[in-house]
Amino acid sequence: QVQLVESGGGLVQPGGSLRLSCAASGFPLDHYAIAWFRQAPGKEREGVSCVSTDDSAYYMDSVKGRFTVSRDNAESTVYLQMNSLKPEDTAVYYCAAGDPSGGCNTIVISTTGGRWREHAMDYWGEGTLVTVSS
């Protein structure tokens, strides 16, 4: 059974950090590009980051320099380290697996505004809530 399970969300003060995890099972994580998306209340879902099988990474412009994506294929887990969090980062964060050829270049349309091809993703997690508030 294919599963992606996110964890690590929670309440954090502005300027704080969180590390999200995306644990995969039922498919070979090391063959897939893995993307992170987020959806804030009342807004459309947007792409946050993507990591290819060769570890090349993409980030939406508003998180560049603050977020870092990494993958541990041996643990079948992808991480999203989020630093210097801002209230506007509040959202449900999802990880998704897409493109068995392994490249984010078929997923990322534009890093401006986080335009990722959602329909290119094969598997989705159920999300983890991140709340940035004082």
Side-chain angles (χ1 to χ4, degrees):
Q1 182 182 0
V2 171
Q3 273 194 313
L4 285 170
V5 179
E6 303 93 339
S7 61
L11 174 64
V12 63
Q13 292 187 341
S17 298
L18 283 174
R19 188 177 79 156
L20 305 184
S21 299
C22 171
S25 60
F27 70 97
L29 179 77
D30 57 347
H31 290 188
Y32 283 77
I34 303 296
W36 287 93
F37 295 80
R38 69 185 182 187
Q39 187 166 21
K43 295 188 176 181
E44 293 186 353
R45 190 154 54 187
E46 59 188 6
V48 176
S49 72
C50 186
V51 58
S52 300
T53 54
D54 64 359
D55 290 331
S56 57
Y58 294 76
Y59 301 92
M60 69 181 301
D61 289 351
S62 64
V63 307
K64 283 179 183 175
R66 300 189 297 123
F67 289 13
T68 303
V69 64
S70 61
R71 60 194 302 156
D72 184 338
N73 291 329
E75 296 294 327
S76 292
T77 302
V78 174
Y79 301 98
L80 184 67
Q81 178 67 43
M82 306 186 298
N83 299 328
S84 302
L85 283 162
K86 304 176 181 180
E88 51 264 42
D89 295 318
T90 294
V92 177
Y93 284 70
Y94 302 88
C95 64
D99 191 348
S101 71
C104 289
N105 56 331
T106 61
I107 296 168
V108 177
I109 300 171
S110 171
T111 58
T112 302
R115 294 181 59 215
W116 275 210
R117 289 188 177 89
E118 292 189 28
H119 66 270
M121 311 313 293
D122 291 336
Y123 310 122
W124 289 83
E126 295 191 349
T128 185
L129 176 63
V130 172
T131 303
V132 184
S133 175
S134 55

